[in-house]
Amino acid sequence: MSITMYQASIPHFVRMLGNLSSIMDKAKTHAEIMKIDESVLINARLAPDMYPLSQQVQIATYMAKACSVRLAGLEVSSYEENETTFSDFKAGIDETIAFLQGIDSERIDNSYDQPITIKMGGKEVVYISQVYLLDVIIPHFYFHVTTAYSILRHHGVELGKKDYIDNE
């Protein structure tokens, strides 16, 4: 039995972004209980040369949106990076989930062997859609979701494996 491009992408993005939204709730509650300004956690990083939590969340949501749009053969639009609170991040995640759920599965399923051209550092890189999804986007998407989880866990937010992988 084979898996479709849609099945390999959108449901996973939606589930993990839903988990990330719940993680944002826990982070907000933690900040309130511990009387920590949200900006402390939002600007936290695991290492000085890594992006802060804010960018980890922004990149994860952008990658899910950009991937789905590219697979559907549409143009990627720019996105604003103006979130400053956990509520802002949660709203952005929820907006991304709603967007993903509105993507036509047939358009994505029919993309598996289509070329996708991305501009990187002043040059264009061409991927076949299946390679783009499986070898580029999925590892990067999970890296940024995992890093967001790890930043918050490292800074005392009570998170466990279930928060990361829960599929309810």
Side-chain angles (χ1 to χ4, degrees):
M1 178 177 197
S2 61
I3 184 170
T4 68
M5 291 287 285
Y6 182 88
Q7 291 169 330
S9 59
I10 303 302
H12 297 278
F13 295 150
V14 167
R15 180 175 56 97
M16 291 307 295
L17 289 171
N19 294 348
L20 187 57
S21 181
S22 296
I23 288 168
M24 293 295 107
D25 288 336
K26 285 193 168 194
K28 180 178 181 165
T29 299
H30 175 80
E32 290 168 355
I33 290 169
M34 301 304 287
K35 300 190 183 337
I36 301 169
D37 189 291
E38 286 186 14
S39 66
V40 171
L41 294 175
I42 289 169
N43 293 308
R45 17 180 122 227
L46 286 177
D49 65 342
M50 291 181 76
Y51 290 132
L53 174 68
S54 59
Q55 284 181 277
Q56 302 295 341
V57 175
Q58 289 164 343
I59 291 169
T61 56
Y62 173 76
M63 291 191 99
K65 277 193 255 184
C67 176
S68 62
V69 167
R70 287 180 177 127
L71 292 177
L74 305 170
E75 288 294 315
V76 177
S77 59
S78 62
Y79 68 102
E80 295 182 25
E81 297 177 356
N82 56 6
E83 299 91 349
T84 58
T85 67
F86 287 117
S87 295
D88 292 343
F89 284 105
K90 186 169 173 61
I93 292 167
D94 293 345
E95 178 183 301
T96 300
I97 291 170
F99 175 82
L100 294 172
Q101 290 172 330
I103 294 284
D104 180 8
S105 63
E106 199 169 298
R107 287 185 74 125
I108 291 178
D109 285 342
N110 292 329
S111 73
Y112 73 97
D113 62 352
Q114 298 301 306
I116 291 182
T117 304
I118 301 172
K119 292 182 182 177
M120 292 177 160
K123 66 179 184 174
E124 290 186 345
V125 179
V126 180
Y127 296 101
I128 297 302
S129 293
Q130 188 177 40
V131 171
Y132 170 71
L133 172 63
L134 299 176
D135 295 349
V136 178
I137 293 298
I138 289 177
H140 282 89
F141 173 78
Y142 278 97
F143 172 84
H144 291 288
V145 172
T146 301
T147 303
Y149 167 93
S150 298
I151 289 169
L152 292 169
R153 180 73 179 100
H154 178 73
H155 285 84
V157 178
E158 290 187 29
L159 297 170
K161 188 175 182 180
K162 185 172 175 28
D163 296 299
Y164 180 80
I165 63 171
D166 193 21
N167 59 3
E168 293 178 21

